[in-house]
Amino acid sequence: MNAYIEEVIEKVRKKDSHEPEFIQTVEEVLRSLEPVIDKHPEYQKMSLLERMIEPERVIEFRVTWADDNGKTHVNRGYRVQFNSAIGPYKGGIRFATHVNLSVMKFLGFEQTFKNSLTSLPMGGGKGGSDFDPNGRSDGEIMRFCQAFMTELYRHIGPNTDVPAGDIGVGAREVGYMFGQYKRIRGNYENGVLTGKGRSFGGSVIRPEATGFGAVYYLNEVLKHQKDTIKGKTIVISGFGNVAWGVAQKASELGAKVVTLAGPDGYCYDPEGISTKEKHDYMVEMRISGRNRAQDYADRFPSAKFFPGKKPWEQKADIYMPCAFQNEVGMADAESIVASGAKYYIEVANMPTTNEALYYIMNKGLVVGPSKAVNAGGVAVSGLEMSQNSLRLSWSEQEVDERLLTIMVNIHKESAKAAEECGLGYNLVAGANIAGFKKVADAMIAQGLV
Ligand code: 2IT
């Protein structure tokens, strides 16, 4: 092990001991950079890793709002502006009870490398709140978004920091936040947020982009392995925006997604979540705010609901976690490996514990890391920024073709970076190395930033 890397990890463990998710991603990313750090002793002299693990800025703020009964609530808001070496901070906003500083920092750190991989000029950032949108009325959501933006607006802008959606934040919430931003600023700066509605600068394909991009990436992996997506069964988790995009594109390309999952358990549908009716129902499940996977089995008799269980116990050719961080632990990894599957493609941000990740990799499965696989979402956000700057909007075909090209390129560059370091077809290390190099070069070129 490289002594410099271990020293930096040790510092993070001590200094940020109360931030387990952040420590986890720092360990995973930094350890995989060993061949690059070995080759470049000047990075140590310039304290490059110490700089990279320190966010440029962390903003934490109070969000006060009133529910429909007039009761006052206080939530905590965050924006972590992690790294602006290659472009304005860019990354989503997450509304979920599990949001805390550790989660925000892990997401901002991952976002920095992910955005670099897209080849578009975007730095890394992340924001959110511990607000729980489940079961909230439309009016409550709007007032919360307005209260959140009333503080956030002073820290963001089309050339400064460009937020978007994430878990709990979709086009509706982005719309309310944009409205409030515009009202306070008094300028029509639609490049300040991405994932907007189509009528005010949103890009086509942005809602589908994360899921479509993930399947494009999977397709590249299969081609590399001289395999095909046709006829493959896929086990996924979640039923939100990302799972929805994956189910649609996988069905279109001839694969069959056989599960979806929520906090209450999972559904197994041997006929596949393959029809437009089923895909549309996933959207209904999301906007209902009920947050229940069981609703799917109640609606479609071909599906069976398994209460309190995770979908990883089902056999499949390909596993694609699409829900949230650390949803796949050691016991889940053991079922996945025992199934004989060859492919494990992370879609949610850091869905695998480090122990489970190394286990799956060591057992010889091809692993697609989330920061590469899910980069299609932020890539189309980057394309939305381009369209807003041009004051133009591109056709579906144009955006989809660009998305495909970007995903093909991310796979190619990651595979190449790993190969060049003598690591073989290691897409996990390859994505980290390829993402890191561009940011590192930019930081060095810009002096002591
Ligand atoms: O995790 C992610 O990459 C996102 N939530 C999308 C961020 C964005 O700016 O579109």
Side-chain angles (χ1 to χ4, degrees), residues 109-375:
F109 186 72
E110 291 264 308
Q111 197 81 44
T112 302
F113 299 100
K114 180 196 310 195
N115 293 3
S116 164
L117 278 174
T118 66
S119 77
L120 300 173
M122 303 181 289
K126 201 80 188 192
S129 174
D130 57 1
F131 169 70
D132 183 4
N134 289 303
R136 288 292 171 196
S137 72
D138 192 51
E140 289 172 326
I141 298 281
M142 181 184 72
R143 288 195 298 281
F144 181 81
C145 289
Q146 291 178 337
F148 184 83
M149 186 51 83
T150 301
E151 171 58 31
L152 187 65
Y153 88 95
R154 72 191 72 240
H155 308 290
I156 64 174
N159 297 314
T160 315
D161 183 355
V162 183
D166 194 85
I167 294 169
V169 178
R172 173 180 64 166
E173 290 74 16
V174 169
Y176 291 149
M177 286 193 270
F178 178 69
Q180 184 72 350
Y181 178 87
K182 178 164 64 68
R183 187 151 72 156
I184 299 172
R185 276 273 194 243
N187 277 337
Y188 204 94
E189 299 172 347
N190 63 1
V192 68
L193 287 160
T194 61
K196 299 179 292 291
R198 288 286 306 286
S199 57
F200 51 102
S203 178
V204 286
I205 315 274
R206 178 62 190 89
E208 295 85 354
T210 310
F212 280 19
V215 177
Y216 291 152
Y217 183 97
L218 164 67
N219 208 19
E220 290 309 296
V221 168
L222 291 164
K223 280 200 246 165
H224 182 275
Q225 300 302 96
K226 313 232 174 325
D227 202 344
T228 170
I229 193 166
K230 289 222 164 55
K232 292 281 188 294
T233 53
I234 308 179
V235 157
I236 69 168
S237 55
F239 59 82
N241 169 263
V242 173
W244 168 77
V246 167
Q248 285 183 87
K249 189 52 82 176
S251 329
E252 192 189 314
L253 300 184
K256 195 156 83 171
V257 170
V258 291
T259 56
L260 52 73
D264 54 328
Y266 77 90
C267 293
Y268 174 67
D269 183 348
E271 287 181 10
I273 304 170
S274 310
T275 60
K276 182 164 185 313
E277 195 187 0
K278 288 175 177 175
H279 301 151
D280 287 348
Y281 191 67
M282 289 173 83
V283 177
E284 263 182 61
M285 286 166 70
R286 184 166 81 244
I287 60 178
S288 77
R290 288 159 57 84
N291 205 15
R292 257 166 53 113
Q294 189 179 355
D295 289 356
Y296 180 89
D298 292 346
R299 172 75 176 69
F300 299 104
S302 56
K304 184 171 184 300
F305 178 63
F306 294 82
K309 296 278 185 142
K310 294 193 198 177
W312 321 120
E313 62 184 26
Q314 288 290 341
K315 269 197 178 323
D317 300 311
I318 300 163
Y319 291 85
M320 298 178 82
C322 296
F324 48 78
Q325 65 273 5
N326 292 329
E327 55 173 312
V328 176
M330 256 324 267
D332 308 312
E334 280 165 6
S335 317
I336 288 169
V337 168
S339 78
K342 292 199 194 112
Y343 308 99
Y344 179 73
I345 307 293
E346 298 183 324
V347 194
N349 289 311
M350 200 172 75
T352 323
T353 64
N354 283 350
E355 189 191 13
L357 177 69
Y358 298 137
Y359 176 78
I360 293 171
M361 288 171 75
N362 289 336
K363 290 291 178 183
L365 278 81
V366 178
V367 176
S370 54
K371 68 173 73 64
V373 175
N374 74 27

